[in-house]
Amino acid sequence: MNELKLSKRLEMVANLIPEGSTLADIGSDHAYLPIHCYLKGIVPFAIAGEVVEGPFKTAKNQVNRLDLHTWIDVRKGDGLDVITTGEVNAITICGMGGALIASILESGKEKLAGVNRLILQPNISAVSVRRWLLHNGWKLIEEKILEEDDKIYEILVAEPGDSTQPYTSPNQTKELLLGPFLLREHSSVFVKKWMLEKENWERILSQLEGAAPSTEVEEKKVELTTYIQFVKEELN
Ligand code: SAM
């Protein structure tokens, strides 16, 4: 992978950025995504944010090597600290856990005024991101799922709006876990993902059966049993 040939995952993210957006890519690492989006004419300007010194330097070097520093600004900082309110209208946060993505959005909430699209790619726990969007007035408008190098990725796209709209059931828990659009689409990759997750949960549950009883263990068992039931209802 490089700035010209992105991974299938980042290519899919790039295709979800509205043309002409000013972009902030948070946790940009090598800055391949913003560089690619600029070179392909998708965005006229992008900020690449990185909190860790090593990837920050890598991103800076990449941008300088290609002489793109006028159009791609590499900034060091935590989450949305690297942008000012109103500076960008699209944000990508990719390749991190869902809980971390949700906490970055939560801590930088005030910076989201004027942002009209979030493209979020959690490696795990997409449910944490869906929950944050639901409770913060961000309407999930599209979801993608793909498999690359034996890993399955979900991509969530949200815009400001009625965040309850994509959810059809009175009990949103199942749709929050599986993804309302992905659940309806029911692709073979979706089925594969949840079959694998179910097997994993069943393994953990059987280990918990032998654990010393505690409130935490009991709560975990209830959660896993609920999730396993959701997957069984949808996939069997
Ligand atoms: N976004 C790229 C991708 O999807 O290929 C890189 C993903 S890499 C696995 C995650 C990057 O996020 C790391 O470079 C890490 O330093 C950065 N990161 C983690 N927490 C961050 C935060 N709070 N603010 C900014 N960057 C962060």
Side-chain angles (χ1 to χ4, degrees):
M1 179 171 68
N2 58 39
E3 60 277 0
L4 292 176
K5 182 80 195 98
L6 288 184
S7 61
K8 192 167 136 190
R9 169 182 66 89
L10 287 182
E11 181 78 51
M12 210 175 257
V13 169
N15 289 336
L16 293 162
I17 299 166
E19 244 182 78
S21 302
T22 46
L23 172 74
D25 181 42
I26 304 299
S28 200
D29 195 353
H30 31 59
Y32 288 157
L33 179 64
I35 295 175
H36 174 89
C37 290
Y38 174 76
L39 293 177
K40 290 278 168 182
I42 300 170
V43 304
F45 176 76
I47 293 160
E50 246 304 328
V51 75
V52 175
E53 180 68 14
F56 166 73
K57 276 196 178 148
T58 310
K60 261 235 173 289
N61 291 341
Q62 286 284 99
V63 168
N64 289 339
R65 181 177 61 84
L66 296 163
D67 204 14
L68 293 177
H69 50 273
T70 310
W71 303 283
I72 298 170
D73 197 1
V74 183
R75 300 182 188 173
K76 189 162 175 223
D78 187 0
L80 303 184
D81 285 356
V82 295
I83 56 170
T84 57
T85 309
E87 199 176 17
V88 298
N89 49 28
I91 295 180
T92 47
I93 314 180
C94 305
M96 305 175 198
L100 178 56
I101 294 178
S103 88
I104 288 174
L105 293 169
E106 181 61 28
S107 323
K109 254 182 185 176
E110 77 286 359
K111 302 284 181 65
L112 296 176
V115 173
N116 44 40
R117 185 168 288 204
L118 299 173
I119 303 119
L120 310 166
Q121 185 270 300
N123 284 346
I124 54 163
S125 191
V127 62
S128 307
V129 179
R130 290 191 192 96
R131 215 178 277 132
W132 187 89
L133 295 171
L134 174 66
H135 294 137
N136 288 279
W138 284 85
K139 179 176 151 196
L140 194 59
I141 59 156
E142 196 172 346
E143 293 175 306
K144 301 273 185 201
I145 191 162
L146 73 143
E147 185 170 12
E148 183 172 48
D149 299 333
D150 292 327
K151 291 197 190 96
I152 295 177
Y153 300 103
E154 289 162 281
I155 302 170
L156 315 184
V157 185
E159 291 184 352
D162 177 3
S163 61
T164 62
Q165 219 194 52
Y167 300 98
T168 54
S169 68
N171 173 5
Q172 289 153 342
T173 320
K174 192 200 287 184
E175 286 178 295
L176 282 169
L177 178 71
L178 304 179
F181 293 94
L182 298 176
L183 183 57
R184 273 168 249 157
E185 184 193 43
H186 227 272
S187 68
S188 54
V189 181
F190 170 86
V191 172
K192 181 173 176 181
K193 174 185 168 69
W194 292 108
M195 281 307 199
L196 291 170
E197 293 280 6
K198 182 169 84 64
E199 282 168 23
N200 188 37
W201 292 331
E202 284 168 342
R203 222 178 355 257
I204 299 170
L205 195 57
S206 75
Q207 283 163 3
L208 287 179
E209 297 301 344
S214 72
T215 316
E216 262 180 12
V217 167
E218 287 316 306
E219 280 172 1
K220 191 70 196 164
K221 275 161 71 176
V222 169
E223 182 189 69
L224 291 176
T225 308
T226 310
Y227 285 1
I228 290 166
Q229 188 54 32
F230 285 163
V231 173
K232 279 186 177 162
E233 281 163 18
E234 291 306 322
L235 303 190
N236 282 348

